[in-house]
Amino acid sequence: MPEGKALQIPDSWIKLKQILSDSEYIVFFGGAGVSTESGVPDFRSVDGLYHQSYKFPPETILSHTFFMKDREEFYRFYRDKLLIQGVEPNNAHRSLAKLEAEGKLKAVVTQNIDGLHQAAGSKAVYELHGSILRNYCMKCGKFHNLEYILDSALVPLCECGGVMKPDVVLYEEGLNEEIINESVGHIMKADTLIIGGTSLAVYPAAGLLQYFHGSNLVLINKSTTPIDNKADLVINDSIGKVLAYCTDLV
């Protein structure tokens, strides 16, 4: 950038910063695009898992039926593609944690399973699709952390001999009703709902947005979504950069 030339901040960023300042009950609804800036692959992007070649399609491998039928192949794919190690929260995660600490943000409703919101400091996190950080024994019900899975054999077993299952929602499985109800409760109370990093293609999660009746519906996504025309503000840019500016993180 030429010396002396100020960085031009888009009007939409400035508007969002004012919205956040005026809001008292913000809820964030996020998807894979929130974590891609940390290096976590997006399932549905051009370079995502759905565009790579495996013995079976990812949606088949990540189904309840497949898990019950072929656990070795499931865990081979799961360990290789979903247990991403060495990733850290990005500015989007940190900005949301900052808003929560300031009392502005009341809830993060996420479709991600990586635990990065909590790693950034967020406490009110509702994980619609579960988390790779939690794993339970299908025999005795005992929970084990991610390290236990990483240090175990291909198909991890509990001390009791039972097979471990990730506490994530696979295809053909229903979402946790308690998580859904709590998420809906926050969305209904929100004066501002920020939707970020999601194409809104996954249901029933995307259907939760119908419960928002507040003043400001904000979309931050690099591509268009089916509800762009219903939003009060649409920003097609890096969610980390946008939120970092709007929360004075950097």
Side-chain angles (χ1 to χ4, degrees):
M1 182 173 66
E3 185 177 352
K5 185 177 180 180
L7 178 64
Q8 185 67 38
I9 302 299
D11 290 343
S12 59
W13 295 26
I14 297 172
K15 182 176 181 181
L16 176 57
K17 189 170 185 177
Q18 187 61 52
I19 287 174
L20 298 184
S21 176
D22 296 341
S23 299
E24 298 181 356
Y25 204 118
I26 303 169
V27 172
F28 179 82
F29 180 96
V34 178
S35 293
T36 53
E37 293 178 28
S38 290
V40 178
D42 178 356
F43 273 40
R44 290 173 174 18
S45 68
V46 173
D47 298 319
L49 297 182
Y50 279 83
H51 293 268
Q52 299 181 30
S53 298
Y54 294 95
K55 188 175 180 181
F56 299 95
E59 61 266 33
T60 297
I61 299 175
L62 297 175
S63 68
H64 178 82
T65 298
F66 194 92
F67 175 80
M68 299 302 292
K69 180 177 65 176
D70 192 344
R71 290 182 182 134
E72 284 195 5
E73 190 64 24
F74 171 89
Y75 267 110
R76 188 173 291 110
F77 178 89
Y78 180 77
R79 288 175 179 274
D80 186 31
K81 293 300 177 184
L82 295 188
L83 298 187
I84 308 298
Q85 299 182 65
V87 295
E88 299 291 338
N90 59 58
N91 280 346
H93 300 105
R94 287 188 284 268
S95 295
L96 294 169
K98 186 171 186 284
L99 283 172
E100 181 182 322
E102 294 170 352
K104 291 275 189 180
L105 182 72
K106 305 302 183 182
V108 170
V109 181
T110 180
Q111 299 176 74
N112 296 337
I113 60 175
D114 50 44
L116 290 178
H117 284 293
Q118 292 92 327
S122 290
K123 296 178 175 59
V125 181
Y126 298 88
E127 298 169 310
L128 296 174
H129 297 158
S131 174
I132 61 172
L133 305 183
R134 298 186 303 271
N135 305 270
Y136 64 91
C137 175
M138 298 176 68
K139 182 178 180 181
C140 73
K142 182 178 180 180
F143 275 81
H144 291 284
N145 59 22
L146 177 59
E147 286 68 29
Y148 184 91
I149 304 301
L150 294 173
D151 292 339
S152 65
L154 176 59
V155 178
L157 301 178
C158 180
E159 296 98 332
C160 74
V163 174
M164 298 297 301
K165 182 182 183 298
D167 190 20
V168 299
V169 179
L170 301 177
Y171 288 99
E172 304 169 347
E173 296 180 342
L175 303 186
N176 182 292
E177 287 191 16
E178 182 178 350
I179 297 296
I180 291 178
N181 291 337
E182 290 177 341
S183 299
V184 168
H186 282 293
I187 291 172
M188 290 179 69
K189 295 176 185 176
D191 53 19
T192 295
L193 176 62
I194 304 173
I195 302 171
T198 174
S199 61
L200 297 176
V202 178
Y203 282 81
L208 300 183
L209 307 185
Q210 66 181 305
Y211 295 100
F212 175 68
H213 304 293
S215 303
N216 307 294
L217 178 59
V218 180
L219 289 176
I220 309 173
N221 201 47
K222 288 185 176 179
S223 59
T224 59
T225 77
I227 67 166
D228 279 13
N229 61 336
K230 298 180 181 179
D232 299 291
L233 181 63
V234 177
I235 302 176
N236 297 128
D237 212 325
S238 161
I239 188 169
K241 291 180 181 178
V242 173
L243 291 182
Y245 166 77
C246 292
T247 60
D248 295 318
L249 185 68
V250 293

